[in-house]
Every structure is written in C-alpha cells, then in structure tokens.
Amino acid sequence: LIECMKLVGSNEKTIYWSGTFPGEIDLSWTPNGFGPGQFCFVYCDMDTYQATKDAIEFFWQRMVPGGIMIFDDFRWVPCAGDEKAVDERFCKVVGDPAIDFKLRIVKDQYACIVEKL
C-alpha cells in the first residue's frame, strides 16, 4: 500500500483501502463531485477468481460514467482466475439481455482496463 501511495499520490479525492474486502469499505464518505459510495477509478490486484469476481460485483454498480477499473495480473498464469472473472462479467455475447451497461475493454498482457461508458 505504501508503494502505491508513493506512486499515485493522494488528495481529497483519493482513498486507499487495504484489508478485508468488502467488509471494511466505508461508503459514507463523499469526495467533491461524487455521490456517496461512487467510484471513478478502481485498481484491482486480487490474484484469485473469487476475489476478482467479488470486486467486480461490488464496484461496477458504483462506478460513475467514464469510471475505470484496472485488473492487475490479467493473463498471468498463476492468477488465471482474474481473467476468468473479468471475461464472465464483461465479455458476453452481443445482444445478451444480461448486459445492463456499455463499456470499453482493453486487454493487454498482465493488465485489463474496463471503462464504464
């Protein structure tokens, strides 16, 4: 967490969480320009299928339009569950009525970026 904070920095709109997910996340805060519990950027370094799936279920519904989720270790064999969870949620067949959003997805070696449109 310390290394991430050094790299990204902090201000009144930047909040870092480390620990049990999602039990320890406080949604009562309201950064300037956002409603309670809304997110514009989420970096997921979960390493397992279930944790990545849980992060998608928790954060995606709270993402603002234009919000971005980045998934670390995507397509990295030891963390194959990350790719499976992302593909299950975001890579459905066009016309599938289960899709309730528009998105842009960029898959790269070891990272995946999903933007909510």
Side-chain angles (χ1 to χ4, degrees):
L1 183 62
I2 303 260
E3 291 300 316
C4 184
M5 292 173 80
K6 286 179 187 176
L7 185 65
V8 175
S10 65
N11 61 40
E12 69 278 354
K13 292 184 181 181
T14 306
I15 298 169
Y16 295 92
W17 277 294
S18 179
T20 305
F21 171 84
E24 295 178 2
I25 294 182
D26 177 9
L27 294 176
S28 64
W29 54 269
T30 307
N32 295 334
F34 297 99
Q38 289 185 312
F39 298 87
C40 62
F41 179 80
V42 174
Y43 182 87
C44 297
D45 188 2
M46 306 302 200
D47 297 340
T48 67
Y49 168 78
Q50 191 61 52
T52 302
K53 181 179 177 186
D54 291 346
I56 292 168
E57 289 176 12
F58 181 83
F59 287 109
W60 188 256
Q61 65 183 328
R62 294 172 171 91
M63 297 297 293
V64 298
I68 292 174
M69 290 186 77
I70 296 180
F71 298 91
D72 187 38
D73 300 327
F74 190 81
R75 293 185 175 153
W76 189 45
V77 175
C79 299
D82 289 2
E83 182 175 9
K84 180 181 178 195
V86 169
D87 284 348
E88 281 180 2
R89 180 63 172 107
F90 297 122
C91 298
K92 307 243 182 193
V93 177
V94 174
D96 185 336
I99 296 178
D100 56 351
F101 53 82
K102 294 182 179 179
L103 60 86
R104 179 176 308 138
I105 188 165
V106 177
K107 294 179 180 183
D108 198 3
Q109 190 65 30
Y110 305 127
C112 180
I113 301 167
V114 183
E115 178 185 8
K116 189 172 193 176
L117 302 176

